Amino acid sequence: MKKAVYFFCDDPFDPVAGNVLAAVRHFFSPEETSLLIDGLPVLACSSPSGDLFSFVRTLKVVSHDYSRYLPVMTDHFADCDLAGIITWHEGENAPDGILTTHTTGDVDSGAFGPADPECMRNLLLAMEQGRVEEGMEDYRTVTEATHWSGMVYGGGAPGMILRYPVPLLDIEIGSSPRCWSDERAARVLARSLLSVFTGDGKEVRNILCAGGVHFDPNFAAAALTSWNGSAFGVSHILANQWLVGGRYEEETGPDKLDRCVASIRGGISAIAFHDNLKGPYKDRFRALGERLGIPVVKHQALRSPEKIQWR
């Protein structure tokens, strides 16, 4: 039996969480447990395969007040195999009509939370399948670069990320009021949550993605790509802006990258960097690949995965 826990802000401040939780209640009829968080009973249900899923309502978005919720997470949900925060996405120039997820980490400081590429892939596949079934041609299922909302909303110091031992994903709808209130999107996210442990039988080859923009289409496409019984496992994506901000070209860069790789369950089988990444950063990833004995490729190679010289 595997366990997952999902956190929902029970306040209209979050325009997405309540809608998704309502859909969860509709589809899965979770029952109240005796555990209270913020005075609200935790809800729980099991999947047909026997995996256990907990749904936690909180008064604030978990990552916005990590010092408050980290003890709750470590005391009650440290034995989970996956955790997720259901929330909204917004931002200047943010794409609209998206169903997205991202791993937790502060690239600048090199604080990377645990990541499970296989679970993240299962979630993305379920989201994409739901998007198609709902006829949502105006939406895309995409990946988002690794970051931590706690840095934006003052949730705490980035080192706190390392204190929760469970892979933690932000699972979002974006990026406008029209999308946040879209009941179709809420249904898709809700139905996908119980699919994180359900794979499609493909051999997952984990890759570390580097460079590019925050919503890089090349890495998003790779996350949904499969070939000859294999598939990419995409988790941490190190966007160009944070590689530069974190000075990964300097002598501290290799240590940060080692911590990143160590945080990925199952390790990595390849590194893919965006071709627009500047030379000193490419050199860092080439050196990392040489040390690990794995291929390092440009992002264009992800379109022809069968040609990659896997080792």
Side-chain angles (χ1 to χ4, degrees), residues 229-248:
S230 297
F232 289 122
V234 175
S235 56
H236 285 317
I237 300 174
L238 314 184
N240 181 71
Q241 66 196 79
W242 289 310
L243 287 173
V244 173
R247 300 182 182 277
Y248 276 69

Side-chain angles (χ1 to χ4, degrees), residues 271-293:
I271 299 168
F273 61 70
H274 197 282
D275 199 24
N276 288 338
L277 195 62
K278 291 184 178 180
Y281 302 97
K282 290 180 181 179
D283 290 342
R284 282 293 188 222
F285 290 102
R286 291 190 180 106
L288 176 62
E290 185 174 351
R291 282 196 292 113
L292 297 177

Side-chain angles (χ1 to χ4, degrees), residues 162-191:
L162 308 178
R163 291 167 54 189
Y164 188 50
V166 178
L168 177 62
L169 295 172
D170 276 28
I171 304 167
E172 305 171 353
I173 297 170
S175 301
S176 69
R178 174 187 70 87
C179 297
W180 301 334
S181 61
D182 191 329
E183 293 184 0
R184 300 173 304 164
R187 290 195 296 266
V188 170
L189 253 63
R191 289 201 303 267

Side-chain angles (χ1 to χ4, degrees), residues 9-16 59-61 64 87-88 90 153:
C9 176
D10 192 52
D11 186 286
F13 171 77
D14 186 321
V16 162
L59 297 182
K60 298 183 69 175
V61 178
H64 295 189
T87 189
W88 82 101
E90 67 176 329
Y153 290 93

Side-chain angles (χ1 to χ4, degrees), residues 216 218-219 232 272-276 282 297-305 307-308:
D216 198 277
N218 302 283
F219 301 141
F232 289 122
F273 61 70
H274 197 282
D275 199 24
N276 288 338
K282 290 180 181 179
V297 300
K298 298 179 181 179
H299 74 266
Q300 294 93 335
L302 300 177
R303 302 168 192 163
S304 302
K307 296 181 181 179
I308 296 175

Side-chain angles (χ1 to χ4, degrees), residues 52-68:
L52 180 63
F53 295 86
S54 298
F55 307 97
V56 180
R57 293 168 289 174
T58 57
L59 297 182
K60 298 183 69 175
V61 178
V62 165
S63 55
H64 295 189
D65 196 349
Y66 218 55
S67 59
R68 172 179 179 173

